[in-house]
Amino acid sequence: MPVIAVDHLHKSYGNVRAVDGVSFEVSPGEIFGMVGPNGAGKTTAIECLEGLRRPDEGRLSVLGLDPQRQGYELRSRIGVQLQESSLPDRLKVREAMGLFAAFYFRSADSAALLEQLGLAEKAGAAFGQLSGGQKQRLFIALALINDPEIVFLDELTTGLDPQARRAMWDLVKSVRERGKTVFLTTHYMEEAEQLCDRVAVIDHGKIVALDTPQNLIAKLDAESRIVFSVDGPVDMDLYRAIPGVTRVERSGDRVIIFGRGDGLLVRVVMALDSAKTRFRDLRTEQPGLEDVFLALTGKEMRE
């Protein structure tokens, strides 16, 4: 049985339809991701599931409960990390954990959580003294303090540097290893590709694709890319004639060859060798979830 079931969810703000007929299910123990451009409806959808917003239409079930009618019972069984969170600067980490634990009938071991999340040495530190990454880890600890069955993470790594983002990914994986179901929203495609068992791509309030990252990438049938740098002129027609090559682009000293099929890299290197072209920094780039995202949602900037 799914732990989350959504059937034709609708939510509007005035004339703006933020979520427009969304339906999906989440299975126990999976990391389910919802990705989309800014303003696509991700946060509205997750807040409806958490019981923070009332849907206009549709049926929602989280752990067999209605988020609106049974919100009190539901909130004791889920953990929530909001897109924007804060605490009083003088509140100490240990005090925050104790305060949030007091909200529930049952709670996890606070000291063990802080140890697992690398915050044991900061237990006596004030919230205002923590770094951005430490604050995010604290909010995860607070989301886990009631030992929830489902953890909702909304734009978890926004604003973090690459090192802190990678550390957060390891934390999310460890949450799933604790037997929890994770529902996350993100606009970082690499993050969704690395973490999620399944991904729903949402755009203009509608789900435009839902599958595993691997299947979404395979269905796109996108071109692979071979990139290298050269000095001097390049016979572009030589590379366009290689079997499997679909197009060739050059920008400055950087050449990008697009194509499909096995053995493409070997054929390109042989062509470079036969033309006695001196090249450097050669690498291949396989299509990823970002290519799927751009193909489905477009490349224009959104506000």
Side-chain angles (χ1 to χ4, degrees):
M1 293 294 292
V3 291
I4 296 175
V6 178
D7 184 28
H8 291 91
L9 172 65
H10 291 264
K11 179 64 180 178
S12 298
Y13 304 105
N15 295 324
V16 177
R17 181 156 284 186
V19 179
D20 189 7
V22 165
S23 299
F24 61 89
E25 294 182 346
V26 178
S27 301
E30 77 172 329
I31 300 178
F32 184 90
M34 181 172 280
V35 304
N38 293 333
K42 303 186 300 295
T43 295
T44 295
I46 199 173
E47 289 181 347
C48 287
L49 290 171
E50 295 161 349
L52 299 177
R53 293 191 184 275
R54 183 181 296 276
D56 297 332
E57 299 176 40
R59 293 190 299 273
L60 303 179
S61 173
V62 181
L63 296 171
L65 303 172
D66 183 305
Q68 290 297 319
R69 292 189 295 106
Q70 299 166 291
Y72 182 80
E73 181 181 353
L74 177 63
R75 280 187 281 276
S76 68
R77 298 174 61 187
I78 64 173
V80 175
Q81 173 266 326
L82 300 173
Q83 184 174 151
E84 295 183 9
S85 303
S86 189
L87 291 169
D89 282 345
R90 294 186 180 181
L91 186 68
K92 295 181 179 179
V93 169
R94 185 186 300 110
E95 295 170 342
M97 295 293 285
L99 175 64
F100 276 65
F103 297 154
Y104 302 100
F105 291 112
R106 68 172 187 176
S107 61
D109 185 328
S110 296
L113 271 179
L114 292 179
E115 182 69 36
Q116 291 166 0
L117 295 174
L119 290 171
E121 295 182 358
K122 295 294 183 178
F127 177 78
Q129 298 174 328
L130 303 180
S131 67
Q134 290 166 344
K135 289 178 180 178
Q136 289 287 62
R137 278 182 276 160
L138 174 58
F139 290 129
I140 292 181
L142 295 175
L144 295 172
I145 191 64
N146 60 324
D147 194 23
E149 297 166 59
I150 302 177
V151 184
F152 291 96
L153 305 173
D154 192 8
E155 300 288 0
L156 174 67
T157 60
T158 297
L160 297 184
D161 61 60
Q163 184 181 34
R165 184 173 296 124
R166 296 278 177 164
M168 285 298 170
W169 294 356
D170 290 338
L171 289 177
V172 172
K173 293 174 183 176
S174 72
V175 168
R176 195 257 293 276
E177 289 167 2
R178 291 160 59 93
K180 315 299 181 186
T181 301
V182 179
F183 187 111
L184 64 87
T185 70
T186 182
H187 60 266
Y188 293 115
M189 295 304 104
E190 184 184 7
E191 181 166 288
E193 193 171 341
Q194 289 287 329
L195 292 178
C196 297
D197 299 302
R198 289 189 303 138
V199 172
V201 182
I202 186 170
D203 191 29
H204 296 297
K206 296 179 180 289
I207 289 181
V208 295
L210 199 167
D211 209 329
T212 66
Q214 296 77 17
N215 286 345
L216 289 172
I217 293 167
K219 289 175 184 175
L220 182 64
D221 190 29
E223 303 157 317
S224 58
R225 298 176 289 270
I226 298 171
V227 184
F228 55 89
S229 297
V230 295
D231 295 318
V234 173
D235 183 358
M236 304 290 275
D237 291 334
L238 173 68
Y239 303 109
R240 293 190 182 102
I242 298 173
V245 170
T246 55
R247 56 196 169 104
V248 182
E249 296 179 359
R250 180 169 184 177
S251 176
D253 64 351
R254 188 167 177 259
V255 178
I256 308 172
I257 297 178
F258 299 82
R260 296 184 177 88
D262 297 332
L264 179 64
L265 176 61
V266 173
R267 292 192 292 272
V268 169
V269 171
M270 289 177 63
L272 287 166
D273 184 60
S274 66
K276 295 182 170 44
T277 301
R278 299 182 64 179
F279 62 91
R280 62 186 186 278
D281 303 329
L282 185 144
R283 66 184 186 276
T284 60
E285 298 177 352
Q286 297 302 316
L289 199 56
E290 183 170 339
D291 297 286
V292 175
F293 178 81
L294 292 175
L296 292 171
T297 66
K299 299 180 180 180
E300 72 275 11
M301 292 294 291
R302 307 277 184 87
E303 291 296 338

